[in-house]
Amino acid sequence: MKSPRKVVIAGIAAFAMVGALAACSSGGSESGKTELRVATFPPGADAAAYEAFDAQEKQFEKANPDIDIIGVEYEWEGPTFAVQLAGGSLPDVFTVPFTDSKTLLENGQLMDVTDEIEELGYTDSFNPVILDGVTDSEGRIFGFPRQAYAMGLHYNRTLFEEAGLDPDSPPTTWDEVREDAKVIADKTGKAGYMQMTQNNTGGWQLTAATVARGGSTQTDNGDGTYTSTIANDGTKASLEFLKELRWEDDSLGSNFLLDWGSINQEFAAGNIGMYTTGSDIYTALVRDFSLNPDDYGLTVIPIENDGGTLGGGDIAVVSPTVDEQTKAAAVTWIDWFYMQKLLNEDAAVLDAKTLAESDQAVGTPLLPVLNREAYEQSLVWIEPYINVPRDQMTPFIEGIWEQTPVGEPKGKTQEIYALLDPVVQAVLTDQNADIDALLAQADEEAQALLDE
């Protein structure tokens, strides 16, 4: 990629660049081409990732010589995204989680791309449940669903072996997770299990654990209003589980302030035996956190009481501040970079071949943005280039279709996730934490947010 012009998005520091970036919003350049600033990877991605992006950038610009791609380092984080958005420091094309898309489109912070998607001809190809996340009450569409995942249980095969456990037979129940976590902690001195706790991720994973146990943190009333149901048996059982691992088993290690980035770093470094997160994390673990692929294992999250697996994903969107010329370039890029590899054999093969030649992950398990048949067909197209250890992910690949996917709560999602962070932290840092009282308070505060 064009490293001399690479823009780093980094919280408040990004404000220093607002003036320069705003000048790009008109889309013009001295060469007469349309300059398009597009999100690439989080800071810290390995050089091979940028080599692959550079190759893809050249392929795109050869096919679209009137567009000049400028890569921008980007990582969505709940606490800093609003600052970046308000400051105008986001790229022209970036991605947001499903959970943020409804709020952003309602606030007028996403570009309407309905006509462009219809012109491309694949509006009806999307999974309607996923497309709903970027569709307003009038049926207008504000983004391109580009990737989806289901929650999975990720585990370190090497730590399993060191603890005398069989990495080909990962736990299938929460009781077995607890048992294996204690064995790993006792035999290796590493955290047998851990869970995210801050920057909205504590609430996110607590919600995932709740859903897996048959609970729900929120009810959609069907009329645009929501009722908080945080104080339910599933959430209580999830916190009791953490409390037992922390205070009875001592199997959670000693770092109780982890978010998406830091727990991935600890896992990749071999310091955590098991944790839950999206099924697509393998790519980032290898690309951004230097995971040894031999260490990695993936299985489905344990389900009980008719629970399901929390699903999610992200949307490729266009900044609402760009002009029509830049918008057209943005849609062309999104279609080429994100969508065609899901729809077209030649595009899928080119994408997989380019990534594989730069040692980037190809074949990481996902949920289909379109439909299962299209997803499985795409795996056939790229089979020669698949380089992820799918045999180490077999329990997930075979088991995920038997689980019921459950969407994330729609009302004030990120705000309520943030509200739940300290609840998880309290259980892990205070042996006498009153779980019932914590949940009752969180329920009250969440309802107040929903009633705003």
Side-chain angles (χ1 to χ4, degrees):
M1 67 182 294
K2 299 177 177 65
S3 55
R5 291 186 290 166
K6 182 172 65 179
V7 183
V8 178
I9 300 297
I12 304 298
F15 276 113
M17 306 185 70
V18 169
L21 296 179
C24 295
S25 64
S26 64
S29 71
E30 294 181 2
S31 66
K33 297 181 178 182
T34 300
E35 287 189 349
L36 185 68
R37 299 166 52 253
V38 304
T40 57
F41 313 109
D46 63 17
Y50 286 106
E51 291 173 6
F53 185 85
D54 184 59
Q56 292 171 312
E57 179 184 334
K58 287 181 171 66
Q59 292 163 3
F60 176 83
E61 291 182 345
K62 182 178 180 179
N64 300 274
D66 57 337
I67 300 175
D68 185 15
I69 296 297
I70 302 173
V72 179
E73 285 189 347
Y74 168 80
E75 179 178 14
W76 185 92
E77 291 185 342
T80 59
F81 179 80
V83 175
Q84 296 166 4
L85 184 64
S89 59
L90 291 169
D92 302 321
V93 176
F94 54 97
T95 58
V96 295
F98 290 162
T99 52
D100 258 29
S101 57
K102 278 289 190 184
T103 300
L104 291 172
L105 73 85
E106 288 170 357
N107 291 342
Q109 295 169 316
L110 299 180
M111 180 71 78
D112 185 333
V113 292
T114 310
D115 296 341
E116 288 77 10
I117 288 182
E118 291 180 351
E119 184 175 348
L120 287 166
Y122 48 74
T123 307
D124 295 335
S125 298
F126 286 113
N127 180 327
V129 175
I130 292 176
L131 190 62
D132 178 66
V134 285
T135 304
D136 69 8
S137 59
E138 298 179 355
R140 304 297 293 178
I141 303 170
F142 290 79
F144 294 70
R146 66 108 190 174
Q147 180 172 287
Y149 62 80
M151 208 57 59
L153 178 67
H154 308 259
Y155 63 99
N156 187 302
R157 294 175 60 88
T158 300
L159 288 181
F160 264 61
E161 291 176 346
E162 290 178 3
L165 301 170
D166 182 358
D168 293 324
S169 297
T172 60
T173 67
W174 289 110
D175 285 343
E176 291 177 356
V177 171
R178 180 183 178 185
E179 293 167 6
D180 288 356
K182 180 163 177 55
V183 172
I184 291 170
D186 290 346
K187 294 292 183 64
T188 71
K190 303 295 178 66
Y193 179 88
M194 192 48 199
Q195 195 156 306
M196 302 178 212
T197 61
Q198 64 174 353
N199 292 334
N200 301 17
T201 63
W204 173 44
Q205 286 306 301
L206 179 59
T207 300
T210 297
V211 168
R213 291 173 170 85
S216 174
T217 59
Q218 189 177 107
T219 298
D220 185 342
N221 298 322
D223 58 0
T225 66
Y226 304 91
T227 301
S228 178
T229 56
I230 288 172
N232 67 83
D233 291 342
T235 308
K236 182 176 180 179
S238 301
L239 292 173
E240 292 284 2
F241 171 79
L242 292 176
K243 185 174 184 179
E244 290 165 350
L245 268 67
R246 168 69 174 97
W247 299 106
E248 296 180 24
D249 302 345
D250 192 23
S251 58
L252 297 183
S254 58
N255 186 355
F256 306 118
L257 289 175
L258 295 171
D259 59 9
W260 185 89
S262 52
I263 201 169
N264 290 333
Q265 184 63 64
E266 287 296 298
F267 179 79
N271 296 324
I272 294 175
M274 295 174 282
Y275 75 124
T276 59
T277 192
S279 60
D280 59 339
I281 198 61
Y282 177 83
T283 298
L285 287 172
V286 173
R287 183 191 67 206
D288 306 332
F289 302 101
S290 302
L291 172 77
N292 179 350
D294 293 339
D295 291 344
Y296 184 76
L298 172 63
T299 186
V300 289
I301 194 169
I303 299 297
E304 59 187 36
N305 299 324
D306 297 320
T309 179
L310 190 72
D314 59 43
I315 314 290
V317 299
V318 182
S319 169
T321 63
V322 303
D323 59 18
E324 286 300 314
Q325 179 180 333
T326 307
K327 177 185 178 183
V331 170
T332 301
W333 168 258
I334 292 172
D335 177 58
W336 186 91
F337 189 69
Y338 292 120
M339 305 310 304
Q340 283 303 310
K341 62 187 176 183
L342 304 177
L343 298 158
N344 179 275
E345 180 175 3
D346 290 341
V349 170
L350 177 61
D351 179 74
K353 182 175 184 291
T354 303
L355 292 174
E357 287 176 347
S358 297
D359 295 324
Q360 296 303 289
V362 178
T364 299
L366 301 169
L367 283 184
V369 170
L370 305 176
N371 54 59
R372 182 176 179 179
E373 290 74 22
Y375 172 67
E376 293 180 342
Q377 178 61 64
S378 71
L379 292 176
V380 174
W381 291 337
I382 67 173
E383 195 278 332
Y385 304 101
I386 291 176
N387 55 17
V388 305
R390 287 176 68 89
D391 58 325
Q392 296 167 207
M393 309 172 185
T394 300
F396 180 89
I397 292 169
E398 294 182 350
I400 189 56
W401 304 109
E402 299 175 7
Q403 295 193 342
T404 302
V406 177
E408 293 182 78
K410 295 181 180 179
K412 301 288 185 178
T413 311
Q414 294 298 333
E415 294 96 323
I416 292 175
Y417 283 170
L419 185 154
L420 290 171
D421 280 356
V423 174
V424 180
Q425 293 168 19
V427 170
L428 297 182
T429 58
D430 179 3
Q431 188 170 4
N432 297 315
D434 186 333
I435 291 176
D436 287 329
L438 288 168
L439 292 179
Q441 181 65 29
D443 227 349
E444 181 179 333
E445 294 176 3
Q447 192 60 55
L449 286 172
L450 293 170
D451 290 341
E452 288 179 356

